[in-house]
Amino acid sequence: MDEIQLKKLFGKRIRELRIKQNLTQEKLSELLWIDPQHFCKMENGNHFPTAKNLVNLANVLAVDIKDLFSFEQPFKNDTLLQISQKLRKLNQKELLFFNEILTSYSKINESD
């Protein structure tokens, strides 16, 4: 994993944790005493917080620092290739069923 990927995954993770706490970007940046634009850039994966802000972020979000880095690894290219190859073999009915499953899964994850 390179630095860019780490920043993107970290930003996605803090967004998830912020939303679970029902905080807006503006409110969280206020609680952290940082500029809202800077926080937005962190959440978008363009900036990484200082060590001090990492500690503050974990405290405000009521998580351990390690939890800020608890994100799933994206699929590896060979996994995506295997999925793609299997999808090509499905007929129309099977593809529609697969789409329904993914849509349902997506809706469940949105509600968490």
Side-chain angles (χ1 to χ4, degrees):
M1 175 183 316
D2 64 20
E3 183 181 350
I4 294 170
Q5 289 173 314
L6 178 61
K7 285 179 182 179
K8 296 287 183 193
L9 289 171
F10 181 81
K12 182 179 176 186
R13 178 66 177 149
I14 60 174
R15 180 177 188 274
E16 291 170 356
L17 293 169
R18 174 182 62 77
I19 290 170
K20 281 185 180 180
Q21 294 287 334
N22 294 314
L23 295 169
T24 63
Q25 284 184 344
E26 294 79 18
K27 182 63 179 173
L28 184 51
S29 63
E30 180 183 313
L31 293 170
L32 295 170
W33 292 78
I34 62 174
D35 180 66
Q37 290 179 332
H38 182 73
F39 181 79
C40 182
K41 290 178 182 177
M42 281 193 316
E43 198 170 278
N44 288 331
N46 297 321
H47 286 288
F48 199 75
T50 63
K52 177 183 171 187
N53 285 337
L54 269 176
V55 171
N56 291 340
L57 188 58
N59 288 334
V60 169
L61 294 173
V63 298
D64 289 330
I65 290 177
K66 66 179 173 61
D67 295 327
L68 297 174
F69 297 92
S70 179
F71 34 77
E72 295 179 21
Q73 289 282 27
F75 288 116
K76 294 183 179 181
N77 286 339
D78 58 340
T79 303
L80 291 175
L81 181 60
Q82 289 174 0
I83 292 170
S84 175
Q85 289 170 345
K86 290 182 187 224
L87 286 174
R88 282 190 214 125
K89 295 177 183 177
L90 299 179
N91 64 37
Q92 186 68 26
K93 186 176 180 181
E94 292 167 326
L95 283 171
L96 289 172
F97 180 69
F98 183 75
N99 184 54
E100 287 176 26
I101 291 170
L102 288 178
T103 302
S104 297
Y105 179 78
S106 176
K107 287 178 184 176
I108 289 169
N109 281 338
E110 287 175 7
S111 66
D112 286 343

